[in-house]
C-alpha cells in the first residue's frame, strides 16, 4: 500500500508553464486582479490578462466567457450582471423599480454574496485605483446596461444607483435601526416608487 | 529690551493642571475623541469627557455648549445639526425635501466641509467603534431631530438618509459621471421629490 501524498502545487511555479494545470484558473484570477487594479475595468482586456497570467487568451475565454465574467470571479462578486440584468429588465416596465430594489436587497441579504461587494466598496473608499475600477465596472456593466435597455438618461440612472447603494450601506455597514432589521418587502414598498420614478426617464 | 520667548506649551503637560491654558480646548477635544470612540455618542457625557480631560465640566460647557457641540468640534464637522436643522425644517413643509437635498449638496460642495465628513465615514467603514459612534450621532442628533420635528416614522427618515448619503458617496467618493459634475439644482430637482415623499410620512 502506497502512502498518498497530497499534491502540493501553487506557490513558486512560474505562470504560463502548464496552462492546463489545476491552479491555472487561480493564476488567471490573480493576474486579472492585478490588471483590473492597474488599468481599470474599461481598459483591461482578456488578452492583457492572459499575457499577465502567461496563458492563451482562449483559455481565459474558456474559463470565464467574458471580461465581465473574469471581473466577477476575480472580485468574488455574487452575480454576473450580464446574466441577471436581462431577467430583471424583461418584466413589466411599470414594476422595474420594485424588481431592482427587491433584487439588490435579496442578493445582499446573503452574507456570502454581500461581503465581497462590501469589501470592494471598502477598498474603493480608501484607494484611488480601486475606486476607478469599481466606477468603471458599475457604470459600464451595470448602469450602462440598464440605461440602454430602458432608455434612461445617465443622471437618472445614477440617482437610482445612489438610492440603492445608500440603502445597502445604511442597512449593512452603518446598521441604522429600524432599516437594518426591516423586512425586504417593507423596504421595497418604500423605495420601489423612487427607483421607478428615476427610471421612468 | 527683553527677547520674546514664544510660549511652548502642549506636549507633556498632564491634563487638568491649568484649566485656563491655551491648549485646554485641544485637550478637551482629544479627550472627547477618545470618549466618543469608546462609549459611542449616546453614552458619552460632558462629565465623562471633562473627567478624561482633567477639567471641570463647566469648562466643557463654556467652550462647546453641548455634547453635540463637542462632537461636531472633535470630528471637525462643518455644522452643528442643532443650529442648522431648525432653519431647514422651519420653511414650508411641502418644500422641506428640496431644502434638505440642497443643504446637503451645498455643504458637501465645499471640500473643507466635506473632507472631515468623508473621513468619518471612511473610518466607520472599517472600524466597529467608529461605526457605532457615527450611527448614534446621526440617528440621535440628525435623523431623530428631523423625525420629531416633522413627525416622520424612523424607517422613512432612514430611506431619506440613504438617498442623501448615497448621492454624496456616489458624487464624491465613487465619482460617477455625470453625477459628480452635475449642477446642484439639477440634483435637487431629481432628488427633492424623493426626500419629500419619504418625509410626507
Amino acid at each position: 500500500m502506497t502512502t498518498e501524498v497530497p499534491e502540493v502545487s501553487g506557490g513558486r511555479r512560474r505562470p504560463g508553464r502548464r496552462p492546463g494545470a489545476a491552479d491555472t484558473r487561480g493564476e488567471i484570477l490573480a493576474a486579472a486582479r492585478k490588471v483590473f487594479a492597474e488599468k481599470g475595468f474599461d481598459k483591461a482586456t482578456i488578452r492583457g490578462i492572459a499575457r499577465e497570467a502567461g496563458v492563451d487568451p482562449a483559455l481565459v475565454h474558456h474559463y470565464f466567457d467574458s471580461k465581465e465574467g473574469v471581473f466577477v470571479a476575480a472580485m468574488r462578486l455574487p452575480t454576473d450582471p450580464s446574466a441577471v440584468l436581462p431577467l430583471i429588465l424583461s418584466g413589466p416596465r411599470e414594476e422595474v423599480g420594485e424588481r431592482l430594489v427587491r433584487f439588490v436587497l435579496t442578493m445582499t441579504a446573503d452574507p456570502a454574496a454581500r461581503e465581497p461587494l462590501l469589501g470592494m466598496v471598502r477598498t474603493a473608499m480608501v484607494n484611488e485605483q480601486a475606486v476607478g475600477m469599481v466606477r468603471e465596472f458599475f457604470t459600464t456593466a451595470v448602469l450602462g446596461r440598464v440605461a440602454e435597455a430602458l432608455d434612461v438618461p445617465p443622471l437618472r440612472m445614477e440617482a437610482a444607483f445612489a438610492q440603492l447603494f445608500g440603502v445597502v450601506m445604511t442597512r449593512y455597514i452603518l446598521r441604522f435601526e429600524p432599516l437594518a432589521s426591516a423586512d425586504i418587502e417593507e423596504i421595497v414598498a418604500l423605495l420601489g416608487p423612487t427607483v421607478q420614478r428615476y427610471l421612468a426617464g
Side-chain angles (χ1 to χ4, degrees), chain A residues 16-17 31 64 78 85 95 99 104-105 118 138 140-141 200:
Chain A
R17 287 304 173 83
F64 304 105
L85 282 178
E95 292 163 10
R99 285 198 303 278
V104 167
L105 289 169
L118 296 186
F138 273 107
T140 301

Side-chain angles (χ1 to χ4, degrees), chain A residues 85 88 96-104 146 164 195 199:
Chain A
L85 282 178
I88 298 173
V96 70
E98 190 179 306
R99 285 198 303 278
L100 273 169
V101 177
R102 186 178 293 114
F103 168 72
V104 167
V146 178
L164 293 168
V195 174
L199 301 189

Side-chain angles (χ1 to χ4, degrees), chain A residues 25 54 56 68 74 105 108 148:
Chain A
R25 192 177 181 280
D56 192 275
E68 251 169 273
L105 289 169
T108 55
E148 198 187 324

Side-chain angles (χ1 to χ4, degrees), chain A residues 46 59-70 80 82:
Chain A
I46 292 231
L59 202 63
V60 181
H61 276 291
H62 165 73
Y63 278 121
F64 304 105
D65 194 43
S66 64
K67 181 168 80 170
E68 251 169 273
V70 185
D80 184 337
S82 71

Side-chain angles (χ1 to χ4, degrees), chain A residues 71-93:
Chain A
F71 187 89
V72 165
M75 302 300 149
R76 300 180 183 84
L77 299 184
T79 45
D80 184 337
S82 71
V84 72
L85 282 178
L87 298 174
I88 298 173
L89 300 176
S90 65
R93 173 74 192 249

Side-chain angles (χ1 to χ4, degrees), chain A residues 93 144-154 156-157 198-201:
Chain A
R93 173 74 192 249
R145 184 168 276 133
V146 178
E148 198 187 324
L150 303 181
D151 194 22
V152 178
R156 300 187 76 95
M157 260 326 295
Y198 293 145
L199 301 189

